[in-house]
Each structure stands twice: as structure tokens, then as C-alpha cells.
Amino acid sequence: MALFRYAKRPLKIFLYNSFSTGTNHTNGYSTWVSRGSPISQSSDIKGLFTIKYGNPKPVFGLISRQFSDQAPAGTEQMNLIKQLRERTSAPIKDVKLALVDCNWDIEAAQKELRKRGKVLASKKSSRTATEGLLALAQSEGKAAVIELNCETDFVARNEIFQHLALSLAKQALLVENISQQSSGLYPVGADYLQDLQLNLEHPKINGEMTVHNAITEVAAMMGENVKLRRGFVMSASLPGVVSTYLHTSPQPGLGRIAGILTLEVEDKISQLDALQRVGSELAMHVVAAKPLFLTKELVSSDALANEREILKSQAESTGKSQMAVEKMVEGRLRKYYEEVVLMEQKFIMNDSLTIKTLVDNLAKEVGSAVKIGSFFRMEVGEGIQRLESSNDVEPVAQAA
């Protein structure tokens, strides 16, 4: 038995040396000691063995607790990852990395993600953003539309992106400018809006911040370039109305193509509902028919000269006389007016009527002269590719 007892002793010493390289335990508590400390520093080796190995459970319990103090349990980690992802919509890989770097402090990790996201957003700002949405906000006699771009249709369907677009339109509607004193269409550029305060009320992004910072935050969340490209405000002289229509609309106030126009009356009328009904139909017509000018008189001389030259070349290729060529050109110009002039176009809902006839009939119905004051058509991404290949000024959407 004695021989067996002494045979076990080297194993105890081996186990003791293994554990003592990291910790020294006294009365059930652990303190860190330097690796390689001689065993002779202990006053009673036998007592240490008794403490260490007489009841091994507390020792391993302490080691287990030391490990668990460094990071939450697996279930808790998953919950933190889920919570942070819900808060930020950041990629799950980035969420986990931020939590690990911040010792699983969710608030610190969220702040770190925002910091990293802003850097990523600035790096992505040079990438082409041709997708996105138009957002529309409207009040009595006034409407505002903005274009918010992103890189993919997937982001355009995101509720955070859509919330931002609607908030920007509402902010544009509040802009104080000349449009409050007179009717017409007025640009509200991104440069003008970016320093204004925006109040967001989405669960994942809320609070008051500048337009610029809000766009940067959403770009960081989406992982794409997000850009406020342009905005316009249209107002009508009272008692007129502003009528709007949005095509491909995922929810009220959003769409990919917008048609806006004003209907103006000379006298105060009681049949505003008729004015609004026809106005909405005309706004839909603007989206579908893509008019470029309100009347023939407003067709630009450059556009007319260019079209006349094309038509003349086509007519001369038939080999007919000069007089016949001139008649052919004039006849085809009438067709051109019907295609690009709003008042000359056939109404899309009833092609037996021109827009001019439709407006005249409305005037008879309401008992006052009615006219279209101005109109505007806007589509997501129009002109962006052309801008990339040249230094031309960005085009304004078709307007009267």
C-alpha cells in the first residue's frame, strides 16, 4: 500500500505543476501567479494537494466561471446578435464581429457599427445608384416630390429606405420659398435640403438628425450608396388644385413614376370634387403619354427645327416635288404635336377626346374657365447614364 501511495505521488506533482502555472488556489479562491514559480514557495505542499485535489469540483467550477466571465453563454450570444441585427439591419457577420470587439456590450457594438457603417457609406458614395423611389407629399394647393436613389431594387423595397424617402418628401413640402406666393414648379435641390433637420420615427432609426446624416445612416444599414438626387415643389394659385399620380406604387406616397399638374380656375367654384377627379385623370395621362410641352406655342424652337429637319429628309427620300415635300412635312408636324404636346394629345382613357376638349368640358361642368397651369413628369433614374458619360447639367424632368 505504501509503495502504491508513493507511486501515485509523481502524478499529483504533475497535475499540481500543470495547474500552478496559471493559478494558485488558497482556501477555495484563485490568484494568478507567474509561470515557473517554484513549488517550494508554498508553505505546505501536502496541504495544497489536499485543497486542490481533495475535492476537485470547486477547482473546475472556478475555471468554468472564469471562462464564462469572458463571454455570454451561447444562447445569450445568439439573442444579442439577433437584437443588434434588428436594431441596425447590418449583415450578421458584421454584427457578430462588432459584439466580440466590444466584449458583447450591445450599446457599444451598435455605436461601433454606426462608425464602421459611415466609413463604408462614404466609400460606396461613388457607386452608381440608378434604382430607388419617388416620394410624394401633398397639402392644399401644394405638392412636393423627391427622388431617393439606391443601387438595387432590393433596397428600394426595404421599409427603412421607404420611411426615409417619405420623410424627405414631407420635409421638402415644408420648405419656405417663392412657391408659397405664386403658382408653378420650383426645384428643391439636395444641397438645399441636406442641412435641414429631419425627424425619423422608424423603430430601427429614429430621432432628430440632419438630412445628410439620416441618408448616411440608412446607407450604412443598407450597405449601398443611397443618394438624394433631386426634389421639386409645385403649387397652384387658389382656388385651383394640384393633382398627382404615382405609378408602380408599393405604398401610398411612393412610386417609380410621378405625374403632377395644376388646374386653375378663374372664379371660385363649389365643384372642387370635379376638378380633383379630372385632375387625377390628367396626372395619370401625363405619366402614360409622356408629354414634353403644354401647348404648341411652347414647343422650343430648337426641338421644332430638329424635328422639321428630320421630317424633311424623310420626305425628300421619296423623290417627290418640293411642294409635295413641304406638304408632307407640315402634315407630319401635326402628328408630332399630337405626340409631344399635352393639349393636342388624345386622352388615354377616351381616345375620342383630346386633352383640350377634356378641359373645355370640365370648364362647362364647373361653370368657370379652367386651364392647366403647369405639369411635370418624373421617373426614377432618368438621365443618370447620360450624366455618367458627359459633364452635362442634370436634366429637369418634362415640365411645362
Side-chain angles (χ1 to χ4, degrees), residues 241-244 261-263 271-286 347 349 355 357-363 365-366 370 372:
V241 298
V242 177
S243 299
T244 63
L261 59 81
T262 61
L263 284 177
Q271 299 97 322
L272 280 177
D273 55 339
L275 213 63
Q276 292 167 345
R277 183 193 75 248
V278 175
S280 297
E281 294 174 349
L282 285 170
M284 185 187 301
H285 174 93
V286 167
F347 185 36
M349 298 180 69
I355 298 301
T357 304
L358 180 69
V359 173
D360 289 343
N361 291 343
L362 176 62
E365 181 179 351
V366 300
V370 179
I372 299 175

Side-chain angles (χ1 to χ4, degrees), residues 67-85 92 95-97 99-100 103-106:
F67 177 79
S68 64
D69 286 344
Q70 296 176 7
T75 303
E76 188 178 350
Q77 288 181 10
M78 292 303 297
N79 287 335
L80 288 171
I81 291 171
K82 181 180 178 182
Q83 289 176 36
L84 187 55
R85 180 161 167 75
I92 192 167
V95 167
K96 184 176 180 181
L97 182 60
L99 283 167
V100 170
N103 295 322
W104 298 92
D105 183 333
I106 191 169

Side-chain angles (χ1 to χ4, degrees), residues 332-347:
R332 291 177 181 180
L333 271 179
R334 287 193 293 271
K335 182 66 174 176
Y336 171 72
Y337 287 138
E338 291 175 4
E339 292 175 352
V340 301
V341 176
L342 177 59
M343 297 301 289
E344 304 298 321
Q345 288 179 332
K346 292 182 178 180
F347 185 36

